[in-house]
Amino acid sequence: MGDRMRRYGCVVIAALAVCAGAGRPAASELVSDEIERRMERLQFGGELSIGGAPIAARALLPELYAARAFRPLWSEEGRIAELLELIETAPEHGLLPRDYLEDQLESLLSRPDRTDPEVAELDILLTESFARYGFHRTFGKVEPAHFDANINFRRAFMNGADPVRALEEAIESPVPLQRQIDEALRPGLVYRAVQQALADHREIQARGGWPAVPEGPTLREGDVDPRVRVLRRRLEVSGDLPSTALDDGERFDAPLRAAVETFQLRHALEPDGVVGPTTLAALRIPVEDRIDQLRLSLERIRWLQLEDRDDLVIVNIARFALSLIEDGEVVFATRVMVGSEYRQTPVFRGELRYLERNPTWTVPPTILREDVLPAIRRDPGYLVERNMVVLDRAGHRVDPGQVDWRSPGRSFPYTIRQEPGPTNALGRIKFIFPNPHFVFLHDTPSRGLFDRAERAFSAGCIRVEQPLELAARLAAMDGQPRWSEAALVAAVDSERTQRIHFSTSLPVLIVYLTASTSPGQPVFFGRDLYGRDRRLLPILDGPVTISRPSRDP
C-alpha cells in the first residue's frame, strides 16, 4: 500500500463518522436532499462539477440515486477502503489514478467536520469514482467507435444486465469490489502477460531506464568501438543479452550479435545482427515510450473483453500475425501481410462464413481507379498478362478493344475480374467474412515477401502465409474433416472455383497491438505503422467521458 493509501486509511474512519451522520440516521434527510439537488442539476442542466471534477457518469448517477430516494450509498468503512485500494491499482492496468478522482476524494476525506452538502458530494464522488473505474475496466477508457468509426467490437453490458442496477448492487454487495471485477471480467492470460510486461518496464524505468546507444556508424560483429559497451548494457537491461554473457569490452563479439538478433526479432526488424540506422533508432527509443505502448495495448485488449467466444480468428496488424483460437487456446498461428501505410487494413470485427477455392478477384473500386485503369492506359497488354476480363454491369464479358479506357474511374461502367490461376492476386484460396471494407483473408502468389520482418505490402486485405492449413483447421472445427489439407490441395489443383460454407460463423477480430506478449514469451514491440498509437495516447490520457452502455446481450 502506497503513502497516499496510508493517508486515506487515516481519514476513512473520520469520514465515516460524518457519512453516518455523527449521531443522526445514516440516510440523513438533509444529506439526501443535497444529493437530490445535485442530481437534478446533473440531469436537467447536463453538468455537475465537484471539487473541480466534472461528473462523467451523468447518464447513470441521476437514475441510480433516484431509484433509492437519493439515500447515500457509501456508509461502510470497508467499502470506502476497497474503492481507494482499487484506485491504487489503476496503474497496473495502464490507467491513471487521477481519472478516479484521487485528489478530490483525498481532500474531502481529510476534512474532519463536513457539512451536509460536503457529505452529499463525498458520496457522489465515491459513486462517480467507482462508476468510472468499473466502466474503464469493462469497456476501456476510450470508446473505440469515437476513435475510429470502423471499429465495431461488442459493447453490450454483461449478460444484458441493467448497468444502473449493477452499479448499486456492486457497491452494496458483501463481496469485495476487486473480487467482483475480477470474476465479472476474467482477465485473460494475454492481458495478464501484458500487465506483467508493463510492471517489468516500469521497474526498468524506476532504475533509471536503459542507456541510449550513441549515434555513429554501423556496428557489426568484429568491430571495436567505445559504443559497444553502451550497446551491451542496453541489451542487458532489456533482457536481450543474458547477464551471464562474458563482457568482451569494446569488441562486438558473437554473443552480442546474437543479442542484437533477439532484439531485432522482438521489434519487427530484419534479424541480421547488425546495428544499422533502423536498429539503432529502435534501440534509442526510451523505456517511457515502450511503457506507453504497453498501456495502449491493455486499453485495446479491454475493447475486446466482451467478445466472449472461445473460438475465433485474431489478426494483429502491427505484429503481422494471425492466430486461430479454439476452446480458448491458440491452436494455429501464421505470418500475414497487411495493408500499406497508404492502403491501411481497418480495425474491425466480422463473421467468417465461407472459403473459396480457386477464387476470382474482382478489382475493388479504389484499386481500379488508382492503379489498374492507369496501368491499362500505359500498357494495352496489361489485362492479358494478368488473366483479367472486362464485365459490363449485367456481368457479361466485354471485348477490351470496345472499351473507352479514357473514362474517369468514378464513372467507369465496367468491372474488371481476374480469373483463377497461379498469378491470381488472391492466390488459390480466400476466406470471406462479409464487411463494408472489401477486406478478406487470402493466399498470395508473392510468397517471398513473407520472409520480410515488416510485412505491410497489401492494398488492405490480409495475405496468409499458410492458407491451406488454416482452411483445413477451420473445416475440422466446423465438423467437415473431409476437407483435409491434402484434399484442399487436390481441389485447388482442379482450378475449379468452389465454395465451402461453414455451418457456424466464426468471429474474425482485426486488431492493432504494437506491444504484445503471452505467458512465457518475450515482449514484441512493433512500429506504429498507421500512426494510431500517436492519435490514441492523448485520448487515453485525456478527460474522462462515459456513455451509457447497451443492455443488448
Side-chain angles (χ1 to χ4, degrees):
M1 185 181 295
D3 292 340
R4 186 184 287 265
M5 188 64 229
R6 283 191 286 271
R7 291 200 302 274
Y8 281 153
C10 294
V11 298
V12 166
I13 294 177
L16 287 165
V18 181
C19 284
R24 61 194 180 203
S28 163
E29 291 184 7
L30 295 174
V31 173
S32 293
D33 289 345
E34 293 292 344
I35 291 175
E36 183 174 10
R37 287 192 193 94
R38 283 154 182 77
M39 290 301 100
E40 287 178 348
R41 190 186 314 164
L42 182 61
Q43 184 173 16
F44 300 111
E47 293 184 0
L48 176 66
S49 181
I50 298 176
I55 299 301
R58 52 181 174 266
L60 302 178
L61 265 57
E63 185 178 339
L64 184 155
Y65 277 110
R68 53 185 290 108
F70 303 101
R71 289 179 293 109
L73 274 159
W74 301 85
S75 58
E76 295 184 10
E77 174 185 353
R79 256 313 180 246
I80 296 178
E82 287 174 18
L83 176 59
L84 302 179
E85 289 172 359
L86 278 181
I87 294 173
E88 288 284 304
T89 67
E92 298 173 13
H93 301 275
L95 299 168
L96 305 173
R98 72 182 186 218
D99 284 342
Y100 312 107
L101 313 174
E102 182 182 50
D103 292 337
Q104 290 83 357
L105 287 173
E106 181 177 15
S107 176
L108 276 174
L109 286 168
S110 64
R111 299 177 192 175
D113 299 310
R114 277 178 294 281
T115 63
D116 290 323
E118 289 173 335
V119 174
E121 290 186 342
L122 175 59
D123 200 87
I124 293 168
L125 276 181
L126 289 165
T127 306
E128 166 77 4
S129 174
F130 183 57
R132 289 182 176 201
Y133 186 89
F135 188 93
H136 291 175
R137 286 289 310 278
T138 303
F139 299 104
K141 177 180 174 179
V142 179
E143 185 153 351
H146 290 173
F147 173 69
D148 177 353
N150 292 322
I151 299 178
N152 59 343
F153 302 136
R154 287 173 53 86
R155 298 280 287 177
F157 197 63
M158 293 171 289
N159 299 319
D162 179 357
V164 173
R165 183 61 185 150
L167 179 59
E168 182 180 21
E169 289 176 348
I171 296 171
E172 295 189 327
S173 167
V175 179
L177 296 178
Q178 181 68 69
R179 199 168 94 196
Q180 289 187 60
I181 289 175
D182 286 345
E183 289 178 352
L185 298 178
R186 298 182 299 133
L189 294 177
V190 170
Y191 188 88
R192 294 296 193 199
V194 176
Q195 273 191 294
Q196 183 58 57
L198 176 61
D200 293 343
H201 282 75
R202 281 197 166 130
E203 185 176 341
I204 292 172
Q205 180 188 35
R207 295 198 304 263
W210 45 57
V213 181
E215 299 278 5
T218 295
L219 293 171
R220 52 176 50 87
E221 186 176 358
D223 288 349
V224 177
D225 190 304
R227 294 183 300 144
V228 169
R229 289 188 183 276
V230 185
L231 174 63
R232 193 182 307 278
R233 177 59 183 156
R234 165 64 180 85
L235 294 172
E236 285 177 346
V237 172
S238 59
D240 297 290
L241 179 66
S243 58
T244 55
L246 294 176
D247 186 344
D248 201 12
E250 297 182 357
R251 191 173 72 85
F252 194 128
D253 56 12
L256 185 56
R257 175 194 170 95
V260 170
E261 291 175 355
T262 298
F263 176 88
Q264 290 169 327
L265 286 170
R266 289 199 306 113
H267 293 78
L269 301 169
E270 298 298 336
D272 57 9
V274 174
V275 182
T278 304
T279 297
L280 180 61
L283 286 163
R284 288 173 58 83
I285 292 174
V287 68
E288 289 78 12
D289 289 8
R290 298 308 189 190
I291 286 171
D292 282 337
Q293 282 184 262
L294 291 161
R295 293 179 58 227
L296 290 169
S297 287
L298 287 172
E299 174 70 3
R300 288 174 168 128
I301 295 171
R302 287 189 288 269
W303 294 353
L304 306 173
Q305 284 182 138
L306 300 181
E307 295 287 346
D308 192 16
R309 292 281 294 273
D310 289 331
D311 299 339
L312 58 132
V313 174
I314 297 180
V315 175
N316 184 357
I317 296 168
R319 192 163 185 169
F320 315 104
L322 176 150
S323 298
L324 176 62
I325 314 296
E326 184 176 11
D327 295 330
E329 301 288 338
V330 177
V331 295
F332 173 70
T334 186
R335 297 185 292 188
V336 300
M337 299 181 212
V338 299
S340 68
E341 181 181 351
Y342 304 103
R343 298 272 178 83
Q344 298 180 7
T345 299
V347 173
F348 71 105
R349 81 181 305 281
E351 294 284 337
L352 183 61
R353 302 192 184 281
Y354 65 90
L355 61 84
E356 192 169 274
R357 300 168 308 180
N358 294 312
T360 60
W361 177 50
T362 299
V363 180
T366 300
I367 298 176
L368 177 67
R369 182 176 63 252
E370 298 181 2
D371 299 335
V372 174
L373 289 180
I376 294 172
R377 293 177 191 129
R378 290 192 303 267
D379 178 10
Y382 181 91
L383 294 174
V384 174
E385 292 170 4
R386 288 160 180 79
N387 195 24
M388 289 178 166
V389 297
V390 182
L391 307 174
D392 63 19
R393 287 174 177 165
H396 302 132
R397 288 199 182 194
V398 175
D399 181 353
Q402 304 300 315
V403 174
D404 180 7
W405 296 109
R406 296 170 299 176
S407 298
R410 292 191 184 278
S411 61
F412 189 67
Y414 302 102
T415 295
I416 294 181
R417 185 180 72 197
Q418 188 176 38
E419 299 298 276
T423 61
N424 187 283
L426 306 184
R428 293 304 186 94
I429 193 165
K430 69 177 180 180
F431 306 79
I432 300 298
F433 45 105
N435 61 82
H437 313 293
F438 299 101
V439 167
F440 39 84
L441 306 171
H442 66 87
D443 183 17
T444 176
S446 304
R447 312 295 303 172
L449 294 176
F450 284 114
D451 291 330
R452 300 283 292 274
E454 191 171 282
R455 298 183 290 278
F457 301 120
S458 85
C461 285
I462 299 151
R463 305 174 186 174
V464 181
E465 183 180 23
Q466 298 171 278
L468 291 174
E469 182 175 353
L470 174 62
R473 287 179 175 274
L474 289 170
M477 288 172 62
D478 191 57
Q480 301 188 57
R482 70 183 184 280
W483 290 116
S484 65
E485 191 170 351
L488 286 164
V489 169
V492 163
D493 288 344
S494 73
E495 297 196 0
R496 184 168 62 92
T497 301
Q498 183 181 8
R499 288 183 178 180
I500 299 175
H501 288 270
F502 299 118
S503 59
T504 303
S505 62
L506 193 69
V508 178
L509 306 182
I510 314 297
V511 303
Y512 187 90
L513 303 179
T514 60
S516 60
T517 187
S518 56
Q521 297 299 313
V523 185
F524 170 87
F525 290 109
R527 188 167 65 86
D528 186 14
L529 292 169
Y530 302 160
R532 298 177 72 93
D533 280 5
R534 185 176 65 250
R535 291 185 285 116
L536 182 60
L537 184 60
I539 306 175
L540 182 63
D541 289 343
V544 173
T545 60
I546 294 180
S547 59
R548 185 182 181 120
S550 167
R551 292 178 59 184
D552 296 336

